Amino acid sequence: MTAVGEPHAPHAHDVLAEIEAEVAHELHEERPPAGGPGYQIAGALTGLVIGVAGAALASGYGLGSLREPGPGLWPFVVSVLIAALSLLLLVVGRQLDDAEKFTRSSLLVAIGAVTFAGFGLLMPLIGFEIPAVLLCVIWLRFLGGESWRSTAVISVATTAVFYVLFIYGLRIPLPHLISF
């Protein structure tokens, strides 16, 4: 045992280095196989389509202004950023080599995007609350594998926080069922 202020024993550094090497090896083994430039381009095009579609859907909700934002303003801004970054990736993606091949787990991302689009389509019809809870349940329980208990608690709490943030904090006139 070392006293306060004294350097650690020499073997402590060896153990730490050994653990770091083991963790790095395990992470490398779990990583999907590497893809080529085609995968970079496919990912960039997918992001571009999602960004453009999101911007189109968001503008349909009304953008408003910065002083009085409409329900579609911030989703529109995020969608434009996604599209712009995807365009950038499309331009420089051929030189990058960090793409991964699509695997079964890649399907989870597609399901997440589809359910998020469903949230956007349902919100004007039945309000913010029900689609938000459903989106959280799908993402947490079915895509994330959380327990039903934590899914229920986190889904309701997240929806409540976003409700207060958007409706009262940012005063965004989202369609909603509950009014206080």
Side-chain angles (χ1 to χ4, degrees):
M1 186 166 189
T2 61
V4 177
E6 288 183 20
H8 292 288
H11 65 81
H13 179 67
D14 294 341
V15 172
L16 181 60
E18 204 174 293
I19 292 171
E20 287 174 348
E22 185 178 331
V23 169
H25 179 70
E26 287 178 11
L27 289 175
H28 181 71
E29 284 181 352
E30 292 177 7
R31 188 172 188 188
Y39 284 93
Q40 287 284 14
I41 293 169
L45 289 174
T46 302
L48 184 61
V49 167
I50 290 171
V52 169
L57 283 172
S59 66
Y61 290 125
L63 301 179
S65 67
L66 288 177
R67 290 186 185 266
E68 292 185 33
L73 180 63
W74 296 115
F76 179 81
V77 169
V78 170
S79 296
V80 168
L81 284 172
I82 289 170
L85 291 172
S86 297
L87 274 174
L88 179 65
L89 183 59
L90 194 56
V91 171
V92 299
R94 291 182 193 93
Q95 292 99 15
L96 301 175
D97 62 355
D98 61 346
E100 298 172 349
K101 286 187 177 181
F102 295 120
T103 61
R104 292 182 92 195
S105 63
S106 304
L107 185 60
L108 296 176
V109 176
I111 292 169
V114 168
T115 56
F116 192 70
F119 167 78
L121 294 171
L122 285 175
M123 194 168 60
L125 301 174
I126 60 175
F128 168 77
E129 300 87 351
I130 294 171
V133 169
L134 288 175
L135 181 71
C136 287
V137 167
I138 291 169
W139 283 12
L140 291 167
R141 177 67 184 155
F142 300 110
L143 300 182
E146 293 291 330
S147 70
W148 278 110
R149 179 182 299 179
S150 65
T151 295
V153 170
I154 293 169
S155 296
V156 171
T158 300
T159 301
V161 167
F162 278 114
Y163 179 88
V164 169
L165 175 69
F166 287 123
I167 304 294
Y168 295 108
L170 298 172
R171 299 195 192 285
I172 296 175
L174 292 174
H176 57 281
L177 300 173
I178 303 170
S179 184
F180 293 104

